[in-house]
Amino acid sequence: MRGGVFGVPENSQEKYEENKVKMIAKMHEKGYRDAELLKDTIYQYNNKKVNIRMDLYEGKKYYFGNITWAGNAIYPDSILKKVLTIEKGDVFSEEKLNKKLNGGGENGGDINSMYTDNGYLTFNIDPVQTKIYGDTVDVELRMYEGPQYTNNRITIKGNTITNDKVVLREIRTKPGQKFNKSDLIRTIREKIGQLGNFDESKTVPTPRPNPADGTVDIEYAVEEKPSDQIELSGGFGGGRIIGTLGLTFNNFSLRNLFNLKAYKPLPKGDGQKLSLRVGKPTVNIINRIASHSHNLGLVARNR
């Protein structure tokens, strides 16, 4: 591990720098928009500890003044104010303002989601501090609403094993529907992720708007991950050791069961489940195939 100031590990120094930024951001959040770190000094206290001295400029505490809207035609000021939930006289916080404008959360509750969940894919809002007087900041919220978009082609990219139809039947963004940002996010977390065949953290949706006809094509880039399971268990009873071996294939393809070319080593890609279990001295083989729309069970026993 490389050393830093007074032998402090470099990763600790990086953490220290991050925390200085967070400290000033916290002061800004509390209304001290002019706060800054003027100087900081680290000096050794003993062989194990160091002291830190910080010189801060706090400045005055600011409050929101007049908040006005510009460029909105779809929603009136009265509706937008209810979503913003920031009033004249509230403690000034750019972080709070940005969260209420462009929160980016799955559950909405911000101005951006209000528009992008209703088809306005290219919506943009820019907060401008128009006047600062005393401890008050006036803000104008300048908006570009843009056109309303409808979903067109929905495609999947990167699925080397799983068939397109397995993913397409699960997603929330359907052709012909108005574009909805929240549906895009839920598709990744609740639908594609729960299939169990893809790495959710690497699923990337890319909306491609077509301004000429007001439609948007959406591509989901996915990455397959191993989803098969092996189970091995054992026990002792009646003077005998009993072991069980279980295999579960989570992306089986029943329709290709008799297609020898599809065996790699088994036919896959339709999102069905095949379970095999073998036990000794009693041998049980259980084939269980579960699909999106039906369940089929086959049991064979050898004694």
Side-chain angles (χ1 to χ4, degrees):
M1 184 179 291
R2 294 187 295 173
V5 179
F6 302 113
V8 177
E10 189 169 305
N11 60 346
S12 296
Q13 285 184 264
E14 292 173 359
K15 191 69 175 178
Y16 171 61
E17 295 298 327
E18 291 175 6
N19 286 336
K20 286 196 297 184
V21 174
K22 290 179 181 179
M23 177 185 67
I24 298 302
K26 194 67 176 178
M27 295 179 70
H28 291 169
E29 184 183 346
K30 298 296 183 181
Y32 298 96
R33 67 183 293 276
D34 298 329
E36 61 178 316
L37 177 61
L38 301 176
K39 181 182 178 182
D40 65 304
T41 306
I42 302 176
Y43 57 95
Q44 196 152 2
Y45 176 72
N46 57 33
N47 291 333
K48 295 183 178 180
K49 298 180 180 180
V50 296
N51 285 338
I52 300 174
R53 175 184 173 84
M54 292 185 175
D55 293 334
L56 296 170
Y57 174 72
E58 184 178 73
K60 66 177 68 174
K61 190 170 186 176
Y62 287 85
Y63 301 86
F64 281 102
N66 296 315
I67 302 173
T68 56
W69 305 83
N72 54 306
I74 307 302
Y75 299 107
D77 293 4
S78 57
I79 297 297
L80 297 173
K81 287 178 180 179
K82 289 181 180 179
V83 178
L84 186 65
T85 65
I86 296 177
E87 301 286 346
K88 182 177 182 178
D90 288 352
V91 172
F92 181 80
S93 168
E94 287 189 76
E95 181 180 1
K96 181 180 179 181
L97 179 61
N98 288 330
K99 283 183 178 179
K100 295 306 298 183
L101 296 180
N102 299 293
E106 179 182 346
N107 297 321
D110 58 89
I111 300 296
N112 187 290
S113 294
M114 186 177 178
Y115 276 88
T116 55
D117 285 353
N118 193 29
Y120 295 93
L121 170 62
T122 56
F123 171 81
N124 183 56
I125 185 166
D126 182 26
V128 179
Q129 298 178 23
T130 55
K131 187 177 181 182
I132 300 173
Y133 48 100
D135 62 355
T136 302
V137 181
D138 286 349
V139 178
E140 182 177 71
L141 304 175
R142 299 173 182 174
M143 307 167 62
Y144 169 74
E145 293 176 325
Q148 192 176 44
Y149 284 87
T150 301
N151 295 338
N152 187 28
R153 296 179 65 248
I154 313 296
T155 56
I156 312 298
K157 177 184 177 182
N159 50 320
T160 55
I161 298 175
T162 306
N163 295 319
D164 286 2
K165 66 178 183 180
V166 174
V167 185
L168 292 174
R169 71 190 180 197
E170 297 291 337
I171 62 176
R172 288 176 173 266
T173 52
K174 304 293 185 181
Q177 295 178 344
K178 285 186 294 187
F179 176 81
N180 187 304
K181 182 184 71 173
S182 293
D183 281 348
L184 203 70
I185 297 172
R186 292 193 192 98
T187 289
I188 298 172
R189 295 180 181 175
E190 300 176 7
K191 298 300 181 180
I192 295 179
Q194 290 183 7
L195 283 172
N197 303 324
F198 305 102
D199 186 340
E200 180 184 330
S201 65
K202 296 181 180 179
T203 300
V204 180
T206 304
R208 295 189 173 92
N210 306 303
D213 61 5
T215 65
V216 54
D217 297 330
I218 302 174
E219 177 187 86
Y220 291 93
V222 299
E223 184 173 315
E224 302 264 9
K225 69 176 183 179
S227 59
D228 298 335
Q229 299 172 328
I230 299 177
E231 175 190 352
L232 182 62
S233 60
F236 183 81
R240 297 178 297 177
I241 297 177
I242 302 173
T244 301
L245 173 65
L247 299 174
T248 301
F249 303 94
N250 288 301
N251 198 2
F252 188 70
S253 175
L254 177 61
R255 65 187 177 89
N256 286 316
L257 187 62
F258 301 106
N259 180 5
L260 297 181
K261 294 182 179 180
Y263 279 72
K264 299 177 182 180
L266 289 174
K268 291 186 174 184
D270 284 347
Q272 298 162 331
K273 181 180 288 186
L274 170 65
S275 295
L276 306 174
R277 179 160 295 178
V278 181
K280 283 290 189 179
T282 301
V283 179
N284 297 302
I285 301 178
I286 303 175
N287 297 321
R288 175 170 160 266
I289 300 172
S291 70
H292 176 72
S293 59
H294 65 277
N295 292 311
L296 175 63
L298 303 175
V299 179
R301 302 181 185 276
N302 297 320
R303 296 185 182 275

